Amino acid sequence: MSELEQLYRRYCQDVYLYLKALTGDAAMAEELTAETFLRACAHAERFRGDCDIRTWLCQIAKNLYFSHHRRQKRLVPLPEQFDPPDPYTNIEQDYENKESLQRVRRHLEGMKETYRQVFTLRVYSELSYAQIAALFGRTEGWARVTFLRAKRKLQQQMAKEEQT
């Protein structure tokens, strides 16, 4: 097994989950995950070893997502095709889960970019505070404080929404 295959097998799921949380779209997350590993392979000489490899891969993934997002702003969206629900699933439970996730995403979108990114990296990608700090070029304490502020703000917004 080549080093690239080992790298992919070890970190693919982490990168995918991070991108899925960032994009909210499984297909886009898969596409960007593949692109992340292609970029990592093409630019392996740029990895200096001053951070964890997973952190480096997530940084590549984040940059690809933002590049993709900028390109998408220039395109006119096409209408999505109707995909009928599977009648064998528990529709009520699926609806509640999707509704809850949509609420969290909606509130995250309204937050400052830094808060949103740190929260996503910590919760969905399960990166350590040290890894998050390395991504932003900050201290571990900064990552902890930023995450706690983002979490508190999200909780306040959701509680406020429930009251209305």
Side-chain angles (χ1 to χ4, degrees), residues 21 24 94-111 116 119-120 124 150-151 153-164:
D94 286 349
Y95 179 77
E96 288 176 12
N97 290 340
K98 286 180 183 178
E99 187 177 274
S100 178
L101 284 173
Q102 287 174 344
R103 283 181 53 219
V104 170
R105 281 201 182 100
R106 188 174 58 246
H107 288 296
L108 281 173
E109 287 174 7
M111 296 173 89
R116 182 172 61 241
F119 186 86
T120 301
Y124 296 111
K151 181 179 169 184
K153 187 171 183 79
L154 182 63
Q155 288 170 335
Q156 289 170 349
Q157 289 175 349
M158 292 185 76
K160 187 177 179 181
E161 181 184 67
E162 288 175 5
Q163 292 174 354
T164 57

PDB file of all heavy atoms in Angstrom, residues 21 24 94-111 116 119-120 124 150-151 153-164:
ATOM      1  N   ALA A  21     -19.790  19.025   7.588  1.00  0.00           N
ATOM      2  CA  ALA A  21     -20.289  20.000   8.559  1.00  0.00           C
ATOM      3  C   ALA A  21     -20.193  21.420   8.004  1.00  0.00           C
ATOM      4  O   ALA A  21     -21.074  22.241   8.224  1.00  0.00           O
ATOM      5  CB  ALA A  21     -19.495  19.896   9.860  1.00  0.00           C
ATOM      6  N   GLY A  24     -22.733  21.230   4.649  1.00  0.00           N
ATOM      7  CA  GLY A  24     -24.093  20.757   4.837  1.00  0.00           C
ATOM      8  C   GLY A  24     -24.574  19.908   3.667  1.00  0.00           C
ATOM      9  O   GLY A  24     -25.760  19.640   3.526  1.00  0.00           O
ATOM     10  N   ASP A  94     -36.832  11.705  11.266  1.00  0.00           N
ATOM     11  CA  ASP A  94     -35.965  12.349  10.288  1.00  0.00           C
ATOM     12  C   ASP A  94     -36.253  13.842  10.209  1.00  0.00           C
ATOM     13  O   ASP A  94     -35.343  14.660  10.142  1.00  0.00           O
ATOM     14  CB  ASP A  94     -36.143  11.728   8.898  1.00  0.00           C
ATOM     15  CG  ASP A  94     -35.505  10.364   8.783  1.00  0.00           C
ATOM     16  OD1 ASP A  94     -34.748   9.982   9.697  1.00  0.00           O
ATOM     17  OD2 ASP A  94     -35.774   9.684   7.770  1.00  0.00           O
ATOM     18  N   TYR A  95     -37.519  14.185  10.220  1.00  0.00           N
ATOM     19  CA  TYR A  95     -37.910  15.590  10.136  1.00  0.00           C
ATOM     20  C   TYR A  95     -37.379  16.367  11.335  1.00  0.00           C
ATOM     21  O   TYR A  95     -36.828  17.460  11.189  1.00  0.00           O
ATOM     22  CB  TYR A  95     -39.426  15.717  10.034  1.00  0.00           C
ATOM     23  CG  TYR A  95     -39.894  17.143   9.965  1.00  0.00           C
ATOM     24  CD1 TYR A  95     -39.783  17.856   8.778  1.00  0.00           C
ATOM     25  CD2 TYR A  95     -40.423  17.781  11.076  1.00  0.00           C
ATOM     26  CE1 TYR A  95     -40.197  19.165   8.701  1.00  0.00           C
ATOM     27  CE2 TYR A  95     -40.836  19.095  11.009  1.00  0.00           C
ATOM     28  CZ  TYR A  95     -40.729  19.785   9.820  1.00  0.00           C
ATOM     29  OH  TYR A  95     -41.128  21.095   9.763  1.00  0.00           O
ATOM     30  N   GLU A  96     -37.533  15.801  12.528  1.00  0.00           N
ATOM     31  CA  GLU A  96     -37.057  16.474  13.738  1.00  0.00           C
ATOM     32  C   GLU A  96     -35.539  16.644  13.710  1.00  0.00           C
ATOM     33  O   GLU A  96     -35.027  17.698  14.068  1.00  0.00           O
ATOM     34  CB  GLU A  96     -37.481  15.688  14.983  1.00  0.00           C
ATOM     35  CG  GLU A  96     -38.956  15.782  15.283  1.00  0.00           C
ATOM     36  CD  GLU A  96     -39.380  14.919  16.454  1.00  0.00           C
ATOM     37  OE1 GLU A  96     -38.492  14.407  17.182  1.00  0.00           O
ATOM     38  OE2 GLU A  96     -40.582  14.754  16.642  1.00  0.00           O
ATOM     39  N   ASN A  97     -34.821  15.600  13.294  1.00  0.00           N
ATOM     40  CA  ASN A  97     -33.365  15.684  13.226  1.00  0.00           C
ATOM     41  C   ASN A  97     -32.922  16.728  12.208  1.00  0.00           C
ATOM     42  O   ASN A  97     -32.032  17.525  12.469  1.00  0.00           O
ATOM     43  CB  ASN A  97     -32.744  14.336  12.893  1.00  0.00           C
ATOM     44  CG  ASN A  97     -32.872  13.342  14.026  1.00  0.00           C
ATOM     45  OD1 ASN A  97     -33.084  13.714  15.173  1.00  0.00           O
ATOM     46  ND2 ASN A  97     -32.771  12.074  13.707  1.00  0.00           N
ATOM     47  N   LYS A  98     -33.535  16.710  11.035  1.00  0.00           N
ATOM     48  CA  LYS A  98     -33.186  17.676   9.997  1.00  0.00           C
ATOM     49  C   LYS A  98     -33.532  19.088  10.435  1.00  0.00           C
ATOM     50  O   LYS A  98     -32.773  20.020  10.198  1.00  0.00           O
ATOM     51  CB  LYS A  98     -33.894  17.341   8.687  1.00  0.00           C
ATOM     52  CG  LYS A  98     -33.313  16.141   7.984  1.00  0.00           C
ATOM     53  CD  LYS A  98     -34.047  15.851   6.701  1.00  0.00           C
ATOM     54  CE  LYS A  98     -33.501  14.592   6.055  1.00  0.00           C
ATOM     55  NZ  LYS A  98     -34.225  14.252   4.826  1.00  0.00           N
ATOM     56  N   GLU A  99     -34.684  19.233  11.080  1.00  0.00           N
ATOM     57  CA  GLU A  99     -35.098  20.554  11.549  1.00  0.00           C
ATOM     58  C   GLU A  99     -34.116  21.082  12.587  1.00  0.00           C
ATOM     59  O   GLU A  99     -33.720  22.243  12.553  1.00  0.00           O
ATOM     60  CB  GLU A  99     -36.506  20.479  12.129  1.00  0.00           C
ATOM     61  CG  GLU A  99     -37.085  21.825  12.487  1.00  0.00           C
ATOM     62  CD  GLU A  99     -38.502  21.701  12.998  1.00  0.00           C
ATOM     63  OE1 GLU A  99     -39.421  21.687  12.154  1.00  0.00           O
ATOM     64  OE2 GLU A  99     -38.675  21.607  14.236  1.00  0.00           O
ATOM     65  N   SER A 100     -33.695  20.220  13.489  1.00  0.00           N
ATOM     66  CA  SER A 100     -32.736  20.614  14.520  1.00  0.00           C
ATOM     67  C   SER A 100     -31.395  21.003  13.902  1.00  0.00           C
ATOM     68  O   SER A 100     -30.806  22.030  14.261  1.00  0.00           O
ATOM     69  CB  SER A 100     -32.552  19.471  15.515  1.00  0.00           C
ATOM     70  OG  SER A 100     -31.608  19.815  16.479  1.00  0.00           O
ATOM     71  N   LEU A 101     -30.909  20.196  12.955  1.00  0.00           N
ATOM     72  CA  LEU A 101     -29.652  20.516  12.291  1.00  0.00           C
ATOM     73  C   LEU A 101     -29.757  21.816  11.501  1.00  0.00           C
ATOM     74  O   LEU A 101     -28.822  22.618  11.479  1.00  0.00           O
ATOM     75  CB  LEU A 101     -29.222  19.380  11.359  1.00  0.00           C
ATOM     76  CG  LEU A 101     -28.641  18.152  12.041  1.00  0.00           C
ATOM     77  CD1 LEU A 101     -28.431  17.035  11.020  1.00  0.00           C
ATOM     78  CD2 LEU A 101     -27.347  18.489  12.733  1.00  0.00           C
ATOM     79  N   GLN A 102     -30.888  22.030  10.865  1.00  0.00           N
ATOM     80  CA  GLN A 102     -31.082  23.266  10.115  1.00  0.00           C
ATOM     81  C   GLN A 102     -31.080  24.480  11.039  1.00  0.00           C
ATOM     82  O   GLN A 102     -30.539  25.519  10.689  1.00  0.00           O
ATOM     83  CB  GLN A 102     -32.383  23.206   9.306  1.00  0.00           C
ATOM     84  CG  GLN A 102     -32.308  22.290   8.116  1.00  0.00           C
ATOM     85  CD  GLN A 102     -33.636  22.135   7.407  1.00  0.00           C
ATOM     86  OE1 GLN A 102     -34.690  22.472   7.950  1.00  0.00           O
ATOM     87  NE2 GLN A 102     -33.597  21.617   6.193  1.00  0.00           N
ATOM     88  N   ARG A 103     -31.679  24.325  12.205  1.00  0.00           N
ATOM     89  CA  ARG A 103     -31.672  25.429  13.184  1.00  0.00           C
ATOM     90  C   ARG A 103     -30.243  25.752  13.593  1.00  0.00           C
ATOM     91  O   ARG A 103     -29.849  26.918  13.637  1.00  0.00           O
ATOM     92  CB  ARG A 103     -32.492  25.052  14.417  1.00  0.00           C
ATOM     93  CG  ARG A 103     -33.977  25.139  14.209  1.00  0.00           C
ATOM     94  CD  ARG A 103     -34.765  24.781  15.455  1.00  0.00           C
ATOM     95  NE  ARG A 103     -34.337  25.560  16.599  1.00  0.00           N
ATOM     96  CZ  ARG A 103     -34.232  25.070  17.838  1.00  0.00           C
ATOM     97  NH1 ARG A 103     -34.512  23.807  18.081  1.00  0.00           N
ATOM     98  NH2 ARG A 103     -33.842  25.840  18.826  1.00  0.00           N
ATOM     99  N   VAL A 104     -29.461  24.720  13.900  1.00  0.00           N
ATOM    100  CA  VAL A 104     -28.071  24.945  14.305  1.00  0.00           C
ATOM    101  C   VAL A 104     -27.302  25.604  13.172  1.00  0.00           C
ATOM    102  O   VAL A 104     -26.595  26.596  13.379  1.00  0.00           O
ATOM    103  CB  VAL A 104     -27.396  23.610  14.725  1.00  0.00           C
ATOM    104  CG1 VAL A 104     -25.898  23.791  14.901  1.00  0.00           C
ATOM    105  CG2 VAL A 104     -28.023  23.083  16.008  1.00  0.00           C
ATOM    106  N   ARG A 105     -27.435  25.089  11.958  1.00  0.00           N
ATOM    107  CA  ARG A 105     -26.731  25.679  10.806  1.00  0.00           C
ATOM    108  C   ARG A 105     -27.147  27.122  10.568  1.00  0.00           C
ATOM    109  O   ARG A 105     -26.338  27.969  10.264  1.00  0.00           O
ATOM    110  CB  ARG A 105     -26.974  24.857   9.543  1.00  0.00           C
ATOM    111  CG  ARG A 105     -26.131  23.631   9.486  1.00  0.00           C
ATOM    112  CD  ARG A 105     -25.996  23.121   8.063  1.00  0.00           C
ATOM    113  NE  ARG A 105     -25.223  21.911   8.078  1.00  0.00           N
ATOM    114  CZ  ARG A 105     -25.723  20.695   8.019  1.00  0.00           C
ATOM    115  NH1 ARG A 105     -27.022  20.521   7.919  1.00  0.00           N
ATOM    116  NH2 ARG A 105     -24.948  19.644   8.052  1.00  0.00           N
ATOM    117  N   ARG A 106     -28.451  27.386  10.686  1.00  0.00           N
ATOM    118  CA  ARG A 106     -28.951  28.743  10.478  1.00  0.00           C
ATOM    119  C   ARG A 106     -28.323  29.705  11.491  1.00  0.00           C
ATOM    120  O   ARG A 106     -27.896  30.796  11.129  1.00  0.00           O
ATOM    121  CB  ARG A 106     -30.475  28.748  10.579  1.00  0.00           C
ATOM    122  CG  ARG A 106     -31.103  30.066  10.197  1.00  0.00           C
ATOM    123  CD  ARG A 106     -32.624  30.012  10.150  1.00  0.00           C
ATOM    124  NE  ARG A 106     -33.216  29.601  11.418  1.00  0.00           N
ATOM    125  CZ  ARG A 106     -33.887  28.475  11.611  1.00  0.00           C
ATOM    126  NH1 ARG A 106     -34.056  27.617  10.626  1.00  0.00           N
ATOM    127  NH2 ARG A 106     -34.400  28.178  12.789  1.00  0.00           N
ATOM    128  N   HIS A 107     -28.255  29.284  12.731  1.00  0.00           N
ATOM    129  CA  HIS A 107     -27.655  30.140  13.756  1.00  0.00           C
ATOM    130  C   HIS A 107     -26.146  30.268  13.558  1.00  0.00           C
ATOM    131  O   HIS A 107     -25.582  31.332  13.791  1.00  0.00           O
ATOM    132  CB  HIS A 107     -27.978  29.619  15.155  1.00  0.00           C
ATOM    133  CG  HIS A 107     -29.411  29.829  15.543  1.00  0.00           C
ATOM    134  ND1 HIS A 107     -29.983  31.070  15.682  1.00  0.00           N
ATOM    135  CD2 HIS A 107     -30.404  28.939  15.783  1.00  0.00           C
ATOM    136  CE1 HIS A 107     -31.251  30.947  16.012  1.00  0.00           C
ATOM    137  NE2 HIS A 107     -31.532  29.656  16.077  1.00  0.00           N
ATOM    138  N   LEU A 108     -25.503  29.188  13.140  1.00  0.00           N
ATOM    139  CA  LEU A 108     -24.065  29.257  12.878  1.00  0.00           C
ATOM    140  C   LEU A 108     -23.764  30.221  11.734  1.00  0.00           C
ATOM    141  O   LEU A 108     -22.781  30.955  11.782  1.00  0.00           O
ATOM    142  CB  LEU A 108     -23.505  27.876  12.537  1.00  0.00           C
ATOM    143  CG  LEU A 108     -23.239  26.945  13.714  1.00  0.00           C
ATOM    144  CD1 LEU A 108     -22.848  25.561  13.216  1.00  0.00           C
ATOM    145  CD2 LEU A 108     -22.173  27.498  14.624  1.00  0.00           C
ATOM    146  N   GLU A 109     -24.604  30.217  10.714  1.00  0.00           N
ATOM    147  CA  GLU A 109     -24.392  31.115   9.572  1.00  0.00           C
ATOM    148  C   GLU A 109     -24.455  32.576   9.976  1.00  0.00           C
ATOM    149  O   GLU A 109     -23.813  33.421   9.358  1.00  0.00           O
ATOM    150  CB  GLU A 109     -25.416  30.829   8.472  1.00  0.00           C
ATOM    151  CG  GLU A 109     -25.152  29.548   7.734  1.00  0.00           C
ATOM    152  CD  GLU A 109     -26.246  29.205   6.741  1.00  0.00           C
ATOM    153  OE1 GLU A 109     -27.152  30.039   6.529  1.00  0.00           O
ATOM    154  OE2 GLU A 109     -26.187  28.097   6.194  1.00  0.00           O
ATOM    155  N   GLY A 110     -25.215  32.879  11.012  1.00  0.00           N
ATOM    156  CA  GLY A 110     -25.334  34.255  11.470  1.00  0.00           C
ATOM    157  C   GLY A 110     -24.203  34.707  12.383  1.00  0.00           C
ATOM    158  O   GLY A 110     -24.132  35.881  12.751  1.00  0.00           O
ATOM    159  N   MET A 111     -23.325  33.794  12.733  1.00  0.00           N
ATOM    160  CA  MET A 111     -22.232  34.119  13.649  1.00  0.00           C
ATOM    161  C   MET A 111     -21.022  34.648  12.882  1.00  0.00           C
ATOM    162  O   MET A 111     -20.917  34.475  11.668  1.00  0.00           O
ATOM    163  CB  MET A 111     -21.825  32.869  14.438  1.00  0.00           C
ATOM    164  CG  MET A 111     -22.907  32.342  15.336  1.00  0.00           C
ATOM    165  SD  MET A 111     -22.452  30.766  16.077  1.00  0.00           S
ATOM    166  CE  MET A 111     -21.650  31.344  17.541  1.00  0.00           C
ATOM    167  N   ARG A 116     -17.817  30.523  13.803  1.00  0.00           N
ATOM    168  CA  ARG A 116     -18.401  29.421  13.036  1.00  0.00           C
ATOM    169  C   ARG A 116     -17.341  28.370  12.702  1.00  0.00           C
ATOM    170  O   ARG A 116     -17.563  27.179  12.856  1.00  0.00           O
ATOM    171  CB  ARG A 116     -19.054  29.957  11.764  1.00  0.00           C
ATOM    172  CG  ARG A 116     -19.725  28.864  10.955  1.00  0.00           C
ATOM    173  CD  ARG A 116     -20.541  29.371   9.779  1.00  0.00           C
ATOM    174  NE  ARG A 116     -19.752  30.090   8.818  1.00  0.00           N
ATOM    175  CZ  ARG A 116     -19.939  31.370   8.486  1.00  0.00           C
ATOM    176  NH1 ARG A 116     -20.894  32.069   9.063  1.00  0.00           N
ATOM    177  NH2 ARG A 116     -19.180  31.951   7.587  1.00  0.00           N
ATOM    178  N   PHE A 119     -16.124  26.511  15.957  1.00  0.00           N
ATOM    179  CA  PHE A 119     -17.175  25.615  16.435  1.00  0.00           C
ATOM    180  C   PHE A 119     -17.272  24.373  15.550  1.00  0.00           C
ATOM    181  O   PHE A 119     -17.336  23.250  16.041  1.00  0.00           O
ATOM    182  CB  PHE A 119     -18.522  26.351  16.463  1.00  0.00           C
ATOM    183  CG  PHE A 119     -19.624  25.540  17.077  1.00  0.00           C
ATOM    184  CD1 PHE A 119     -19.830  25.551  18.445  1.00  0.00           C
ATOM    185  CD2 PHE A 119     -20.461  24.756  16.291  1.00  0.00           C
ATOM    186  CE1 PHE A 119     -20.841  24.793  19.028  1.00  0.00           C
ATOM    187  CE2 PHE A 119     -21.473  23.999  16.848  1.00  0.00           C
ATOM    188  CZ  PHE A 119     -21.666  24.021  18.219  1.00  0.00           C
ATOM    189  N   THR A 120     -17.244  24.570  14.252  1.00  0.00           N
ATOM    190  CA  THR A 120     -17.333  23.461  13.308  1.00  0.00           C
ATOM    191  C   THR A 120     -16.143  22.522  13.437  1.00  0.00           C
ATOM    192  O   THR A 120     -16.302  21.301  13.445  1.00  0.00           O
ATOM    193  CB  THR A 120     -17.432  24.003  11.866  1.00  0.00           C
ATOM    194  OG1 THR A 120     -18.590  24.841  11.777  1.00  0.00           O
ATOM    195  CG2 THR A 120     -17.556  22.888  10.862  1.00  0.00           C
ATOM    196  N   TYR A 124     -17.775  19.136  14.821  1.00  0.00           N
ATOM    197  CA  TYR A 124     -17.991  18.197  13.721  1.00  0.00           C
ATOM    198  C   TYR A 124     -16.719  17.456  13.319  1.00  0.00           C
ATOM    199  O   TYR A 124     -16.765  16.286  12.970  1.00  0.00           O
ATOM    200  CB  TYR A 124     -18.585  18.911  12.513  1.00  0.00           C
ATOM    201  CG  TYR A 124     -19.962  19.468  12.793  1.00  0.00           C
ATOM    202  CD1 TYR A 124     -20.179  20.829  12.874  1.00  0.00           C
ATOM    203  CD2 TYR A 124     -21.037  18.622  13.000  1.00  0.00           C
ATOM    204  CE1 TYR A 124     -21.442  21.337  13.132  1.00  0.00           C
ATOM    205  CE2 TYR A 124     -22.301  19.114  13.262  1.00  0.00           C
ATOM    206  CZ  TYR A 124     -22.492  20.479  13.327  1.00  0.00           C
ATOM    207  OH  TYR A 124     -23.737  20.968  13.586  1.00  0.00           O
ATOM    208  N   ALA A 150     -18.439  30.909  21.056  1.00  0.00           N
ATOM    209  CA  ALA A 150     -19.313  30.492  19.958  1.00  0.00           C
ATOM    210  C   ALA A 150     -20.425  29.589  20.491  1.00  0.00           C
ATOM    211  O   ALA A 150     -21.596  29.743  20.126  1.00  0.00           O
ATOM    212  CB  ALA A 150     -18.499  29.770  18.886  1.00  0.00           C
ATOM    213  N   LYS A 151     -20.067  28.655  21.351  1.00  0.00           N
ATOM    214  CA  LYS A 151     -21.039  27.726  21.926  1.00  0.00           C
ATOM    215  C   LYS A 151     -22.087  28.481  22.746  1.00  0.00           C
ATOM    216  O   LYS A 151     -23.291  28.244  22.613  1.00  0.00           O
ATOM    217  CB  LYS A 151     -20.314  26.710  22.804  1.00  0.00           C
ATOM    218  CG  LYS A 151     -21.200  25.681  23.440  1.00  0.00           C
ATOM    219  CD  LYS A 151     -20.370  24.716  24.277  1.00  0.00           C
ATOM    220  CE  LYS A 151     -21.218  23.836  25.135  1.00  0.00           C
ATOM    221  NZ  LYS A 151     -20.405  22.986  26.005  1.00  0.00           N
ATOM    222  N   LYS A 153     -22.929  31.658  22.498  1.00  0.00           N
ATOM    223  CA  LYS A 153     -23.736  32.477  21.596  1.00  0.00           C
ATOM    224  C   LYS A 153     -24.788  31.616  20.888  1.00  0.00           C
ATOM    225  O   LYS A 153     -25.945  32.015  20.767  1.00  0.00           O
ATOM    226  CB  LYS A 153     -22.838  33.183  20.588  1.00  0.00           C
ATOM    227  CG  LYS A 153     -23.552  34.189  19.719  1.00  0.00           C
ATOM    228  CD  LYS A 153     -22.533  34.991  18.926  1.00  0.00           C
ATOM    229  CE  LYS A 153     -23.181  36.045  18.091  1.00  0.00           C
ATOM    230  NZ  LYS A 153     -23.558  37.227  18.836  1.00  0.00           N
ATOM    231  N   LEU A 154     -24.392  30.435  20.446  1.00  0.00           N
ATOM    232  CA  LEU A 154     -25.322  29.524  19.780  1.00  0.00           C
ATOM    233  C   LEU A 154     -26.435  29.104  20.734  1.00  0.00           C
ATOM    234  O   LEU A 154     -27.615  29.099  20.368  1.00  0.00           O
ATOM    235  CB  LEU A 154     -24.572  28.300  19.254  1.00  0.00           C
ATOM    236  CG  LEU A 154     -25.392  27.274  18.494  1.00  0.00           C
ATOM    237  CD1 LEU A 154     -25.971  27.867  17.220  1.00  0.00           C
ATOM    238  CD2 LEU A 154     -24.530  26.062  18.157  1.00  0.00           C
ATOM    239  N   GLN A 155     -26.085  28.778  21.959  1.00  0.00           N
ATOM    240  CA  GLN A 155     -27.083  28.380  22.947  1.00  0.00           C
ATOM    241  C   GLN A 155     -28.057  29.517  23.230  1.00  0.00           C
ATOM    242  O   GLN A 155     -29.267  29.303  23.335  1.00  0.00           O
ATOM    243  CB  GLN A 155     -26.398  27.944  24.247  1.00  0.00           C
ATOM    244  CG  GLN A 155     -25.692  26.613  24.145  1.00  0.00           C
ATOM    245  CD  GLN A 155     -24.822  26.318  25.359  1.00  0.00           C
ATOM    246  OE1 GLN A 155     -24.366  27.226  26.058  1.00  0.00           O
ATOM    247  NE2 GLN A 155     -24.587  25.035  25.600  1.00  0.00           N
ATOM    248  N   GLN A 156     -27.531  30.736  23.344  1.00  0.00           N
ATOM    249  CA  GLN A 156     -28.388  31.898  23.600  1.00  0.00           C
ATOM    250  C   GLN A 156     -29.351  32.137  22.438  1.00  0.00           C
ATOM    251  O   GLN A 156     -30.532  32.400  22.646  1.00  0.00           O
ATOM    252  CB  GLN A 156     -27.537  33.144  23.840  1.00  0.00           C
ATOM    253  CG  GLN A 156     -26.808  33.140  25.147  1.00  0.00           C
ATOM    254  CD  GLN A 156     -25.786  34.278  25.253  1.00  0.00           C
ATOM    255  OE1 GLN A 156     -25.480  34.957  24.266  1.00  0.00           O
ATOM    256  NE2 GLN A 156     -25.244  34.466  26.455  1.00  0.00           N
ATOM    257  N   GLN A 157     -28.850  32.035  21.227  1.00  0.00           N
ATOM    258  CA  GLN A 157     -29.691  32.256  20.051  1.00  0.00           C
ATOM    259  C   GLN A 157     -30.779  31.203  19.942  1.00  0.00           C
ATOM    260  O   GLN A 157     -31.928  31.527  19.624  1.00  0.00           O
ATOM    261  CB  GLN A 157     -28.843  32.258  18.776  1.00  0.00           C
ATOM    262  CG  GLN A 157     -27.984  33.473  18.640  1.00  0.00           C
ATOM    263  CD  GLN A 157     -27.051  33.385  17.424  1.00  0.00           C
ATOM    264  OE1 GLN A 157     -26.911  32.338  16.814  1.00  0.00           O
ATOM    265  NE2 GLN A 157     -26.436  34.511  17.077  1.00  0.00           N
ATOM    266  N   MET A 158     -30.429  29.965  20.219  1.00  0.00           N
ATOM    267  CA  MET A 158     -31.432  28.895  20.132  1.00  0.00           C
ATOM    268  C   MET A 158     -32.473  29.013  21.242  1.00  0.00           C
ATOM    269  O   MET A 158     -33.656  28.779  21.011  1.00  0.00           O
ATOM    270  CB  MET A 158     -30.743  27.541  20.130  1.00  0.00           C
ATOM    271  CG  MET A 158     -29.951  27.329  18.850  1.00  0.00           C
ATOM    272  SD  MET A 158     -29.221  25.707  18.686  1.00  0.00           S
ATOM    273  CE  MET A 158     -30.655  24.752  18.250  1.00  0.00           C
ATOM    274  N   ALA A 159     -32.036  29.404  22.431  1.00  0.00           N
ATOM    275  CA  ALA A 159     -32.985  29.598  23.542  1.00  0.00           C
ATOM    276  C   ALA A 159     -33.917  30.765  23.237  1.00  0.00           C
ATOM    277  O   ALA A 159     -35.117  30.696  23.496  1.00  0.00           O
ATOM    278  CB  ALA A 159     -32.212  29.856  24.842  1.00  0.00           C
ATOM    279  N   LYS A 160     -33.361  31.810  22.666  1.00  0.00           N
ATOM    280  CA  LYS A 160     -34.168  32.987  22.297  1.00  0.00           C
ATOM    281  C   LYS A 160     -35.204  32.609  21.249  1.00  0.00           C
ATOM    282  O   LYS A 160     -36.349  33.025  21.310  1.00  0.00           O
ATOM    283  CB  LYS A 160     -33.259  34.084  21.772  1.00  0.00           C
ATOM    284  CG  LYS A 160     -33.947  35.384  21.510  1.00  0.00           C
ATOM    285  CD  LYS A 160     -32.933  36.427  21.059  1.00  0.00           C
ATOM    286  CE  LYS A 160     -33.591  37.751  20.767  1.00  0.00           C
ATOM    287  NZ  LYS A 160     -32.617  38.757  20.316  1.00  0.00           N
ATOM    288  N   GLU A 161     -34.815  31.773  20.288  1.00  0.00           N
ATOM    289  CA  GLU A 161     -35.723  31.318  19.235  1.00  0.00           C
ATOM    290  C   GLU A 161     -36.862  30.477  19.836  1.00  0.00           C
ATOM    291  O   GLU A 161     -38.001  30.587  19.399  1.00  0.00           O
ATOM    292  CB  GLU A 161     -34.958  30.516  18.185  1.00  0.00           C
ATOM    293  CG  GLU A 161     -35.838  30.036  17.051  1.00  0.00           C
ATOM    294  CD  GLU A 161     -35.090  29.172  16.067  1.00  0.00           C
ATOM    295  OE1 GLU A 161     -34.691  28.060  16.468  1.00  0.00           O
ATOM    296  OE2 GLU A 161     -34.893  29.613  14.926  1.00  0.00           O
ATOM    297  N   GLU A 162     -36.550  29.647  20.813  1.00  0.00           N
ATOM    298  CA  GLU A 162     -37.554  28.789  21.425  1.00  0.00           C
ATOM    299  C   GLU A 162     -38.580  29.598  22.221  1.00  0.00           C
ATOM    300  O   GLU A 162     -39.727  29.212  22.334  1.00  0.00           O
ATOM    301  CB  GLU A 162     -36.898  27.739  22.322  1.00  0.00           C
ATOM    302  CG  GLU A 162     -36.173  26.659  21.550  1.00  0.00           C
ATOM    303  CD  GLU A 162     -35.424  25.686  22.440  1.00  0.00           C
ATOM    304  OE1 GLU A 162     -35.531  25.790  23.681  1.00  0.00           O
ATOM    305  OE2 GLU A 162     -34.724  24.836  21.892  1.00  0.00           O
ATOM    306  N   GLN A 163     -38.154  30.732  22.759  1.00  0.00           N
ATOM    307  CA  GLN A 163     -39.047  31.570  23.553  1.00  0.00           C
ATOM    308  C   GLN A 163     -40.058  32.304  22.680  1.00  0.00           C
ATOM    309  O   GLN A 163     -41.129  32.656  23.142  1.00  0.00           O
ATOM    310  CB  GLN A 163     -38.259  32.589  24.371  1.00  0.00           C
ATOM    311  CG  GLN A 163     -37.444  31.963  25.467  1.00  0.00           C
ATOM    312  CD  GLN A 163     -36.564  32.970  26.182  1.00  0.00           C
ATOM    313  OE1 GLN A 163     -36.474  34.135  25.788  1.00  0.00           O
ATOM    314  NE2 GLN A 163     -35.898  32.532  27.239  1.00  0.00           N
ATOM    315  N   THR A 164     -39.674  32.544  21.432  1.00  0.00           N
ATOM    316  CA  THR A 164     -40.585  33.300  20.555  1.00  0.00           C
ATOM    317  C   THR A 164     -41.550  32.417  19.830  1.00  0.00           C
ATOM    318  O   THR A 164     -41.567  31.287  19.796  1.00  0.00           O
ATOM    319  CB  THR A 164     -39.803  34.126  19.496  1.00  0.00           C
ATOM    320  OG1 THR A 164     -38.983  33.239  18.742  1.00  0.00           O
ATOM    321  CG2 THR A 164     -38.993  35.177  20.165  1.00  0.00           C
TER     322      THR A 164
END
